[in-house]
């Protein structure tokens, strides 16, 4: 794929990538572990393969949109050529946390520890995406007034379209008769959401749900394709990242609110899972300076 088709905006103050459209005709960009300081939307229009993300692996088909948050580890493994286009954007360009009420993609497209990190794209959504991407390509070359506002508007349309589609597909899965998803799964999700700041071990949740640790571990592996310990860790890290970006709290304060009395233990835990220290995350991803 010719480099002349790649469109990139750089932040002149930091030298960091701000916004990028990257058409691809093979897997060379994604065949190694990625840990980027920006959001990535990867629309695979041709080909299929396997995505390794965080602690799990999932198969994706042609016409899938994959979504990854800053420093979320991922790589694509394919047996046949893939084609498509990627949108990369830094949180300083558009922060999904700050505008959650507008777009509602956090917890759906991004930061959803309970679902695979992609959505299957319909013909209708595909037409919308193509229209929006064409407009983005025109606008990214337009250095006139309000270029940033215009690009953000198109990005919002893209995110809203994808989020609505994923929500719709999740609702359809829930309404399928004799769904394979057992009742205990929703209870487990609710328990993690209610208690991840205070209960960090798999055994805590087995006790809460009155089920054996072994049985709960099997359920987690079967349905989430990851261990319960990994699931809990992912949820804690997502909250820590949000606090680091959205608030001016110290690392020690964030650690304490997430149930860690030892700031240094928490920092090691964060670095193990995010591959950067909490402070470096804040420095490279940005700092929203807005109280959550």
């Amino acid at each position: 794929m010719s480099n002349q088709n790649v469109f990139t905006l750089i932040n002149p103050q930091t030298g960091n990538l701000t916004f990028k459209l990257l058409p691809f005709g093979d897997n060379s960009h994604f065949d190694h572990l990625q840990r980027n300081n920006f959001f990535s939307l990867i629309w695979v229009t041709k080909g299929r393969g396997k995505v390794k993300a965080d602690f799990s692996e999932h198969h994706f088909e042609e016409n899938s949109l994959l979504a990854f948050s800053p420093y979320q580890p991922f790589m694509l493994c394919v047996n046949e050529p893939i084609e498509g286009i990627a949108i990369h954007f830094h949180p300083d360009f558009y922060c999904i946390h700050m505008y959650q009420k507008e777009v509602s993609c956090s917890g759906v497209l991004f930061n959803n520890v309970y679902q695979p990190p992609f959505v299957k794209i319909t013909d209708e959504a595909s037409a919308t995406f193509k229209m929006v991407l064409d407009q983005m390509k025109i606008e990214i070359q337009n250095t006139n007034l309000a270029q940033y506002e215009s690009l953000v508007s198109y990005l919002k349309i893209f995110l809203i379209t994808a989020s609505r589609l994923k929500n719709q597909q999740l609702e359809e899965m829930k309404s399928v008769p004799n769904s394979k998803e057992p009742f205990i799964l929703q209870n487990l999700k609710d328990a993690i959401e209610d208690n991840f700041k205070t209960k960090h071990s798999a055994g805590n949740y087995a006790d809460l749900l009155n089920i054996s640790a072994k049985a709960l571990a099997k359920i987690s592996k079967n349905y989430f394709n990851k261990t319960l310990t990994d699931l809990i860790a992912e949820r804690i890290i997502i909250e820590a990242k949000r606090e680091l970006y959205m608030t001016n709290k110290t690392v020690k304060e964030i650690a304490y609110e997430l149930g860690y009395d030892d700031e240094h233990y928490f920092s090691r835990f964060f670095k193990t899972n995010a591959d950067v220290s909490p402070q470096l995350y804040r420095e490279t991803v940005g700092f929203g300076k807005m109280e959550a």
Side-chain angles (χ1 to χ4, degrees), residues 9-289:
L9 293 179
I10 300 295
N11 183 329
Q13 293 177 314
T14 63
N16 289 335
L17 179 144
T18 296
F19 183 86
K20 184 174 188 175
L21 292 179
L22 174 69
F24 56 89
D26 57 39
N27 193 35
S28 59
H29 296 286
F30 315 114
D31 62 1
H32 50 288
L33 189 65
Q34 308 283 302
R35 285 184 186 269
N36 304 314
N37 67 351
F38 45 76
F39 292 96
S40 292
L41 294 161
I42 303 169
W43 182 18
V44 179
T45 55
K46 288 186 181 178
R48 64 193 66 193
K50 183 167 62 176
V51 54
K52 297 182 179 181
D54 293 303
F55 304 105
S56 59
E57 295 183 2
H58 301 277
H59 289 278
F60 66 87
E61 298 292 323
E62 184 171 282
N63 247 338
S64 293
L65 178 73
L66 294 86
F68 304 102
S69 298
Y71 287 108
Q72 182 178 4
F74 75 90
M75 67 183 290
L76 307 186
C77 305
V78 301
N79 295 320
E80 57 184 274
I82 60 171
E83 293 180 21
I85 188 166
I87 302 173
H88 300 312
F89 63 99
H90 193 274
D92 285 347
F93 177 78
Y94 187 73
C95 175
I96 65 165
H97 297 300
M98 206 173 287
Y99 301 103
Q100 172 63 6
K101 288 181 181 176
E102 291 181 21
V103 178
S104 300
C105 60
S106 183
V108 181
L109 281 184
F110 303 102
N111 302 326
N112 186 341
V113 301
Y114 309 108
Q115 296 292 334
F118 55 80
V119 57
K120 182 70 179 167
I121 302 305
T122 61
D123 290 344
E124 185 180 2
S126 178
T128 301
F129 285 172
K130 286 174 182 173
M131 178 272 291
V132 169
L133 286 164
D134 284 344
Q135 293 301 315
M136 284 180 173
K137 288 173 186 174
I138 293 169
E139 197 59 42
I140 206 168
Q141 298 173 86
N142 179 4
T143 56
N144 291 334
L145 187 68
Q147 179 197 45
Y148 163 83
E149 285 78 5
S150 184
L151 280 171
V152 166
S153 296
Y154 290 126
L155 179 60
K156 282 184 189 176
I157 295 169
F158 197 101
L159 291 169
I160 290 168
T161 302
S163 298
R164 284 177 177 170
L165 187 58
K166 187 157 189 178
N167 266 330
Q168 178 187 329
Q169 291 174 3
L170 291 175
E171 288 302 316
E172 287 170 357
M173 282 169 56
K174 287 180 186 175
S175 64
V176 174
N178 304 316
S179 172
K180 292 181 180 179
E181 183 171 308
F183 184 66
I184 189 71
L185 276 194
Q186 190 56 52
N187 288 349
L188 175 57
K189 291 180 197 174
D190 292 342
I192 292 173
E193 290 304 310
D194 291 342
N195 298 283
F196 71 88
K197 292 181 181 180
T198 55
K199 299 183 187 300
H200 298 162
S201 75
N204 291 150
Y205 293 90
D207 294 341
L208 268 179
L209 299 172
N210 198 23
I211 183 174
S212 76
K214 189 174 180 181
L216 194 58
K218 187 176 180 182
I219 288 169
S220 179
K221 195 66 179 171
N222 285 346
Y223 290 94
F224 299 123
N225 202 18
K226 58 188 81 169
T227 69
L228 183 51
T229 301
D230 290 341
L231 204 62
I232 299 161
E234 269 188 66
R235 187 62 188 87
I236 294 168
I237 291 297
I238 282 171
E239 192 68 15
K241 286 178 176 179
R242 181 183 177 281
E243 290 293 305
L244 286 166
Y245 185 84
M246 291 290 290
T247 77
N248 58 6
K249 295 170 187 171
T250 65
V251 173
K252 186 175 183 177
E253 287 174 310
I254 294 170
Y256 185 75
E257 288 181 8
L258 291 173
Y260 295 89
D261 293 329
D262 186 337
E263 174 192 351
H264 301 293
Y265 177 86
F266 170 75
S267 292
R268 287 196 299 273
F269 169 77
F270 187 94
K271 186 168 185 179
T272 298
N273 287 278
D275 204 42
V276 287
S277 68
Q279 197 56 46
L280 188 58
Y281 180 88
R282 180 170 268 171
E283 289 169 7
T284 55
V285 171
F287 186 14
K289 298 184 179 68

